[in-house]
Amino acid sequence: MRCNILKTLAATGAVMILGLSGCKKDGGSNNDILIGEYGSMTGSTATFGQSNHKGVEMAFDAANAAGGLLGGRKLRVLLEDTQGKPEESQVVVTKLINSDRVVAMIGEVASSNSLAAAPVCQQNGIPMISASSTNPKVTEVGDYIFRICFIDPFQGLVMAKFAANTLKVKRIAILQDVKTDYSVGLTNFFRENFIKLGGEITSEESYSQGDKDFNAQLTAIKSKNPEAIYIPGYYTEVGLIARQARKLGITVPLLGGDGWDSEKLWEIGGEALNGCYYSNHSSTDDPNPILQKFVVDYKARYGGQPDAMAALAYDAALVLIDAIKRAGSASPDSIRMALAATKNFPGATGSITIDEHRNAVKNAVVVEVRNGKYLFKESVAP
Ligand code: PHE
């Protein structure tokens, strides 16, 4: 009631400030539905944020071109750069909520950044969807926090099985990034599963995101003669690690997770990565017609192949659009309830059902790096 009066006043142009602070925000003064997006547009994980934004733009532009939502309202995304940093993520999300009055949030990519900003969304009652943060703790922050991807216990199991059953290796070393929740979590899930499958961890070494010299850790790893090295990090460090490993005469395959997913991986690591494998969310080789249409449209718009991150973000935006439509409203609370009820939504990365923990249960793929190409090896169901 109060909200309607204020809206009417705001429409006359008289009391914009009053209107915005009094209303439970429902999407902006000129009737656009305002969605916040926060991502690493710069920094060592910049392709994550950039790909995320491309996926979101494609989904929103298509919905707007088709007439918008809720009787013609347009979606407008307000993008903020986190520089890939947790503190900055918190700052920009606070701004998007308090100053820009967004009704929902898409982001972040990296788990530590999502973990830093999720409490702000939760406390303000703004639903947040991460397209790709896989650490289990992210959605545990509260009932406003969602993701549309699988989580790391599954991803760790997939690579442990791949190593033990497909590559048939028994002795693996681990090199983890102790600065990110993602890498620390995935290390634990991989170790636990690989040991259960009869494998042995020859040694564990660590680094911090931003490091450039990995010679000491790699020398220590080499001295134990592992048959493979598991490196659940992000692409910039992984590329450097691969080069330095080969220089030291380490020839065994390097294994990793979705954090490797970037066209920059090959640019940085080059041939040192040939014959290495990582788990991921999707592969452009998947015949799923929604993915194939996305790949064609993406190529026409941006050139090149979309990475899994772009496809996931496209799906996150589609799921949000679907929720707003089903809610019949752009109020944060109704969006949250509709998101929670998402079932069998046909996405580019597979069918998406949000479970009671606000996660999605989906297949993973294993990809082989070969001469600048990321080749599909196998798909693993949960
Ligand atoms: N899963 C990673 C994390 O949680 C982020 C990521 C997802 C990176 C998909 C690339 C592709 O930190």
Side-chain angles (χ1 to χ4, degrees):
M1 201 51 202
R2 177 180 146 88
C3 209
N4 280 336
I5 295 163
L6 288 169
K7 245 194 260 164
T8 314
L9 289 171
T12 70
V15 280
M16 288 294 295
I17 310 153
L18 246 185
L20 284 175
S21 58
C23 284
K24 180 80 179 173
K25 24 310 107 156
D26 88 333
S29 49
N30 67 357
N31 220 23
D32 285 349
I33 302 172
L34 299 185
I35 309 294
E37 181 191 348
Y38 67 114
S40 47
M41 302 304 288
T42 56
S44 72
T45 54
T47 70
F48 294 167
Q50 292 163 1
S51 289
N52 196 84
H53 188 56
K54 288 175 186 164
V56 169
E57 271 187 318
M58 283 183 59
F60 280 12
D61 287 356
N64 287 339
L69 305 183
L70 309 177
R73 294 175 65 185
K74 296 278 151 66
L75 290 156
R76 187 142 63 89
V77 65
L78 303 180
L79 170 68
E80 292 287 342
D81 180 12
T82 64
Q83 302 159 32
K85 297 178 184 157
E87 323 78 61
E88 196 59 25
S89 300
Q90 217 169 51
V91 169
V92 299
V93 161
T94 304
K95 173 188 170 286
L96 284 168
I97 295 174
N98 292 339
S99 308
D100 298 321
R101 320 295 286 183
V102 300
V103 294
M105 196 75 72
I106 297 178
E108 227 260 6
V109 177
S111 292
S112 293
N113 302 334
S114 291
L115 277 165
V120 182
C121 295
Q122 178 69 29
Q123 280 150 22
N124 285 283
I126 298 298
M128 168 184 135
I129 312 177
S130 172
S132 58
S133 285
T134 45
N135 187 282
K137 291 182 292 185
V138 172
T139 46
E140 288 166 12
V141 167
D143 57 356
Y144 280 79
I145 314 301
F146 298 84
R147 79 180 109 215
I148 56 110
C149 54
F150 57 62
I151 56 175
D152 287 332
F154 174 59
Q155 184 172 202
L157 171 67
V158 164
M159 258 347 245
K161 274 194 180 159
F162 180 79
N165 302 340
T166 306
L167 295 180
K168 300 199 187 311
V169 296
K170 293 230 164 332
R171 308 176 68 253
I172 291 190
I174 299 179
L175 179 52
Q176 69 169 308
D177 173 0
V178 285
K179 205 168 162 189
T180 70
D181 293 277
Y182 163 74
S183 192
V184 172
L186 201 43
T187 293
N188 292 335
F189 301 121
F190 177 85
R191 182 200 304 110
E192 181 188 323
N193 285 297
F194 188 63
I195 290 172
K196 260 194 215 151
L197 291 163
E200 179 199 337
I201 304 296
T202 55
S203 64
E204 295 199 25
E205 295 288 333
S206 58
Y207 66 93
S208 292
Q209 189 178 26
D211 286 355
K212 304 225 154 22
D213 180 354
F214 306 91
N215 280 290
Q217 296 95 318
L218 288 167
T219 304
I221 284 173
K222 190 182 177 206
S223 72
K224 300 276 166 52
N225 262 319
E227 296 167 279
I229 309 174
Y230 187 58
I231 314 170
Y234 294 135
Y235 63 88
T236 297
E237 288 80 17
V238 170
L240 295 173
I241 290 168
R243 277 180 184 278
Q244 292 172 23
R246 302 309 180 218
K247 258 212 180 110
L248 287 171
I250 297 174
T251 56
V252 298
L254 312 179
L255 314 177
D258 57 350
W260 288 31
D261 178 49
S262 170
E263 62 187 20
K264 294 269 181 220
L265 177 72
W266 181 261
E267 271 180 53
I268 299 169
E271 282 174 15
L273 289 157
N274 270 337
C276 295
Y277 302 90
Y278 64 98
S279 51
N280 205 356
H281 301 267
S282 69
S283 155
T284 47
D285 294 336
D286 181 341
N288 170 2
I290 301 166
L291 179 70
Q292 288 310 321
K293 181 173 185 319
F294 173 72
V295 171
V296 169
D297 293 349
Y298 183 99
K299 205 167 179 185
R301 182 159 177 177
Y302 301 109
Q305 293 268 57
D307 52 21
M309 190 51 251
L312 282 171
Y314 178 67
D315 280 353
L318 290 181
V319 164
L320 177 60
I321 290 167
D322 175 64
I324 295 172
K325 283 187 186 159
R326 279 186 290 109
S329 151
S331 86
D333 284 333
S334 31
I335 295 174
R336 179 188 73 82
M337 284 191 303
L339 280 174
T342 300
K343 274 200 178 55
N344 304 321
F345 181 85
T349 59
S351 172
I352 297 168
T353 295
I354 301 291
D355 70 14
E356 71 270 34
H357 306 295
R358 298 167 301 284
N359 300 322
V361 178
K362 289 159 84 188
N363 281 17
V365 297
V366 177
V367 175
E368 177 182 352
V369 187
R370 182 64 67 191
N371 298 328
K373 299 241 166 358
Y374 305 129
L375 308 172
F376 172 84
K377 286 295 286 182
E378 61 182 44
S379 178
V380 187

